[in-house]
C-alpha cells in the first residue's frame, strides 16, 4: 500500500459527542441553550436590557431553536458601545466582577479594542474547546507544543497554551523572543507541534532559511494556526506543509465568542464548527435573513461561556456552511474553505466580487513570493486593485521574477475575469505580521 492509500487515523476528543445524529445534536444544543438563557435572563444586564428593548418577552420559556432565532442579533458595535457607556468592562457580565479572573483584549486592528473577561469556569470551557482542536489534529500528551507568540492580551494563545498543559503535552512559550531565538528554542527542546498564525509560520520558515537551516529538518510534525484565517487556503496550507515537512491544521476562534472550529485529520478543505459548544447560523449580511444556501455571514452563540456569553453574534466572517457528511465521521457542520474573508473586506471591482482569500491562494502557489499586499484605490469613483509581490532579487533572477508576476496576474484574470495590475517590489518592502495580518490596504488618492 502506498503512503497515499494509507488510511488516515481519525482521532477524536469525544467520539460519541462528535458523531451524534443531527436531531440528537440539536436536542443537546437546545438543552444547553435553555440552561444558559435561564442564567443570563436573571443576571446579565446587557442581555436583560437588550431583550427588554426588543420586546422579546420571557426568553426562559423558549422551547425550540426556531424561537431562539427570533431573538435580536448581537453586534461588535453594540459591545464596544456598551464598554464606552459602562467603562471599563461593560455589562455583558452574568456575575459580580469579583468572580472574574481572566482579562483579554482584541487586537483592535479594525478599530477600538474590545475587553473581555472570563470566570474560572468560562476559562475552563475555552480550554475544553481547544482540546477538540488538539485532539482532531492528533496532538496528545507525548507532544511538545511551541507557541510562537508574544503572549500579550490577545486570548488565542493563552487558551491554547493552557489547553496544551491540561492535555498533558509539554507547552513551550515563545514570548519575548525574536524569530531566530524561537527557531533555536523549538529545535533545542524538540518541539513537535507549532502553534502560530499562518503568516508567521511562513515568516519563521523564511528566517530559518536565511540562517541556512531547513525548517523541514526540525521535529515539527503538526502546525496549528490561529489568530487569522489562511490555513484553509489551499495554496497557503501547501506552502506551510512543504516548508515545515508537517501537516498543517486550521483553527478558527474569536475573542468574544470562543475557540469555535477545528480541522479534522481527513482535511476536507475547511473547519468543523464545534456544534456541541456553539450554535451556528448563516445570514445574508445585508438583510439579516437566513441564507438558504449556507453562504453568507456567520452568526454564533456560545453555550458554555456563562460568565460573558454572546447570543446570535454577528461575526463579520464570510463563510459557506455545509452539513454534508465528512469522511472523518463527525456530524458537526463544516465551513467549506474555512473563513472566506471579512464581510468588510469583500471588494467589488468593476462589478466583480473579489475575495482577498482567493488572491492569497493564487499568490501562495508561487514560492518566489515572500509577502504580498493588495492595494485598493479609487479610479473614476470605482474601486480598483493592484497586487504587490515581494520577490527577493538575491534569490531570483529577473526572468524568474517577471515570470512569477505574469503567472499571478494570469491567475487573477482566470479566477475573476479581471485584468489587475501586478507588480514586483524589492525584498523587505512589505510589513510582516505575527498576528492579524492586514494585506488589503486602502490607498487614498
Ligand atoms: Zn471531518
Amino acid at each position: 500500500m502506498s503512503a497515499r492509500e494509507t488510511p488516515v487515523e481519525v482521532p477524536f476528543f469525544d467520539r460519541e459527542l462528535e458523531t451524534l445524529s443531527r436531531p440528537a445534536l440539536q436536542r443537546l444544543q437546545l438543552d444547553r441553550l435553555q440552561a444558559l438563557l435561564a442564567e443570563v435572563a436573571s443576571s446579565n444586564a446587557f442581555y436583560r436590557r437588550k431583550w427588554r428593548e426588543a420586546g422579546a418577552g420571557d426568553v426562559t420559556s423558549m422551547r425550540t431553536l426556531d424561537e431562539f432565532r427570533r431573538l435580536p442579533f448581537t453586534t461588535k458595535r453594540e459591545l464596544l458601545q456598551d464598554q464606552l457607556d459602562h467603562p471599563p468592562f461593560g455589562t455583558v457580565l452574568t456575575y459580580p466582577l469579583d468572580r472574574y479572573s481572566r482579562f483579554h483584549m482584541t487586537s483592535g486592528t479594525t478599530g477600538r479594542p474590545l475587553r473581555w473577561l472570563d470566570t474560572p469556569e468560562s476559562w475552563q470551557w475555552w480550554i475544553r474547546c481547544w482540546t477538540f482542536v488538539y485532539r482532531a489534529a492528533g496532538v496528545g500528551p507525548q507532544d511538545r507544543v511551541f507557541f510562537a507568540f508574544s503572549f500579550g492580551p490577545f486570548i488565542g494563545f493563552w487558551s491554547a497554551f493552557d489547553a496544551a498543559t491540561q492535555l498533558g503535552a509539554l507547552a513551550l512559550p515563545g514570548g519575548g523572543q525574536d524569530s531566530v531565538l524561537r527557531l533555536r528554542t523549538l529545535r533545542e527542546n524538540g518541539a513537535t507541534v507549532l502553534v502560530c498564525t499562518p503568516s508567521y509560520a511562513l515568516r519563521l520558515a523564511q528566517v530559518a532559511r536565511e540562517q541556512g537551516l531547513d525548517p523541514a529538518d526540525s521535529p515539527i510534525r503538526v502546525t496549528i494556526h490561529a489568530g487569522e484565517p489562511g490555513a484553509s487556503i489551499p495554496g497557503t496550507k501547501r506552502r506551510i506543509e512543504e516548508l515545515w515537512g508537517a501537516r498543517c491544521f486550521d483553527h478558527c476562534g474569536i475573542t468574544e465568542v470562543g475557540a469555535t472550529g477545528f480541522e479534522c485529520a481527513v482535511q476536507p478543505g475547511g473547519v468543523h464548527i464545534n456544534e456541541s459548544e456553539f450554535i451556528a447560523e448563516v445570514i445574508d449580511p445585508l438583510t439579516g435573513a437566513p441564507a438558504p444556501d449556507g453562504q453568507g455571514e456567520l452568526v454564533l452563540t456560545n453555550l458554555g461561556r456563562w460568565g460573558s456569553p454572546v447570543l446570535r453574534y454577528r461575526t463579520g466572517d464570510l463563510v459557506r456552511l455545509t452539513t454534508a457528511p465528512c469522511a472523518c465521521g463527525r456530524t458537526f457542520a463544516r465551513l467549506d474553505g474555512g473563513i472566506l474573508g471579512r464581510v468588510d473586506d469583500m471588494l467589488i471591482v468593476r462589478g466583480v466580487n473579489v475575495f482577498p482569500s482567493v488572491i492569497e491562494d493564487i499568490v501562495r502557489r508561487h514560492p518566489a513570493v515572500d509577502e504580498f499586499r493588495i492595494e485598493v484605490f479609487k479610479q473614476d469613483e470605482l474601486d480598483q486593485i493592484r497586487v504587490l509581490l515581494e520577490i527577493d532579487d538575491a534569490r531570483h533572477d529577473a526572468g524568474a521574477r517577471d515570470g512569477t508576476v505574469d503567472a499571478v496576474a494570469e491567475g487573477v484574470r482566470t479566477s475573476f475575469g479581471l485584468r489587475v495590475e501586478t507588480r514586483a517590489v524589492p525584498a523587505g518592502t512589505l510589513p510582516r505580521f505575527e498576528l492579524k495580518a492586514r494585506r488589503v490596504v486602502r490607498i487614498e488618492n
Side-chain angles (χ1 to χ4, degrees), residues 264 266 268 272 326-328 330 334:
C264 64
V266 173
H272 285 282
C326 182
C328 73
R330 283 181 183 81
R334 275 178 295 134

Side-chain angles (χ1 to χ4, degrees), residues 342-355:
R342 300 284 302 162
V343 170
D344 305 336
D345 274 353
M346 199 179 69
L347 306 166
I348 301 176
V349 180
R350 285 170 256 158
V352 179
N353 287 346
V354 175
F355 285 100

Side-chain angles (χ1 to χ4, degrees), residues 3 159 162 278 289 292 301 310 333 363 370 431 434 437:
S159 51
D162 278 5
F278 301 88
T301 298
V310 287
V363 171
D370 291 328
E434 185 182 89

Side-chain angles (χ1 to χ4, degrees), residues 10 20 61 73 118 156 159 185 190 268 297 341 363 376 415 422:
V10 177
L20 284 176
S61 65
F73 295 120
D118 280 293
S159 51
T185 306
E297 180 180 351
V363 171
V376 187
S415 291
T422 306

